[in-house]
Amino acid sequence: MNQDLIEKIKKLREETGAPINLCKEALEQSQYDLNLAKDYIIKKGETLISKKEDKKTGFGIIEGYIHFNGRVGALVELRSETDFVAKNEEFKKLAHEIALQVATMRPLYISPDQIPDEIKQSKIEELEKEFKEKTEDVRKKIIESKMQKWYEEICLVEQRYFKNEDLKIKDLIHQAVNKFGEKIEIKRFVRLDIND
């Protein structure tokens, strides 16, 4: 293995947390382009997640974050398949980062599928009124785009990670799935604010 490849593997591993073998595979599959390799690792995580969809996440931790002024806090329940992963320091760090995200970005739901249908429908109707003068095809595309943007504002897994705008919270979860090789999910969260 040449030095350039070793450096790229090291960099990719630092940025994604993926195992060395997966980093090497991702680089080989993407003609040694780091950005394409990151995408490959994320897609691999999504595939692993879909294969493990029916797995039970019976272990995990509850992690909290309280802002230095004591006025804002968050609790997150992050689940894993095994106690071995739940006790891992990197798993705990992930839970802490997600709690920090909740405190900072104020999500309302974990994912779009948790938004009640009547709230989604109300948002769609609001957008249809706003863009009623557009043709049906154009209006449909605009509404899809606006709904996705709305999900990114209010759904935790769709939000941009506030420490790295290139990643969504679901990307952090996918990286952890790649690293640990098991299903990881956010079960619930709560955000408390003295000003609410």
Side-chain angles (χ1 to χ4, degrees), residues 124-172:
I124 290 169
E125 287 168 9
E126 175 190 315
L127 291 169
E128 282 178 343
K129 284 179 189 169
E130 188 178 341
F131 299 102
K132 65 182 177 202
E133 75 285 349
K134 305 286 183 189
T135 64
E136 189 174 337
D137 286 350
V138 171
R139 186 170 62 243
K140 187 177 178 186
K141 285 178 184 169
I142 291 172
I143 289 171
E144 280 177 20
S145 172
K146 295 277 186 188
M147 289 297 286
Q148 185 56 44
K149 190 164 175 40
W150 184 58
Y151 294 150
E152 288 176 9
E153 290 171 13
I154 67 168
C155 296
L156 178 56
V157 297
E158 295 296 330
Q159 286 183 336
R160 298 279 168 191
Y161 178 36
F162 80 100
K163 288 185 176 178
N164 180 352
E165 291 281 313
D166 293 337
L167 296 173
K168 291 184 175 185
I169 295 302
K170 67 181 176 185
D171 297 329
L172 296 181

Side-chain angles (χ1 to χ4, degrees), residues 107-118:
L108 301 174
Y109 305 96
I110 293 173
S111 61
D113 61 343
Q114 291 191 333
I115 301 172
D117 289 340
E118 60 273 12

Side-chain angles (χ1 to χ4, degrees), residues 29-42:
Q29 293 296 319
S30 61
Q31 281 73 49
Y32 305 96
D33 180 297
L34 277 173
N35 290 327
L36 292 175
K38 282 187 216 172
D39 291 342
Y40 179 88
I41 288 171
I42 288 169

Side-chain angles (χ1 to χ4, degrees), residues 48-62:
L48 189 55
I49 286 171
S50 66
K51 285 180 185 173
K52 292 188 164 278
E53 208 164 272
D54 296 334
K55 294 278 187 181
K56 297 279 185 249
T57 52
F59 297 90
I61 60 170
I62 295 173

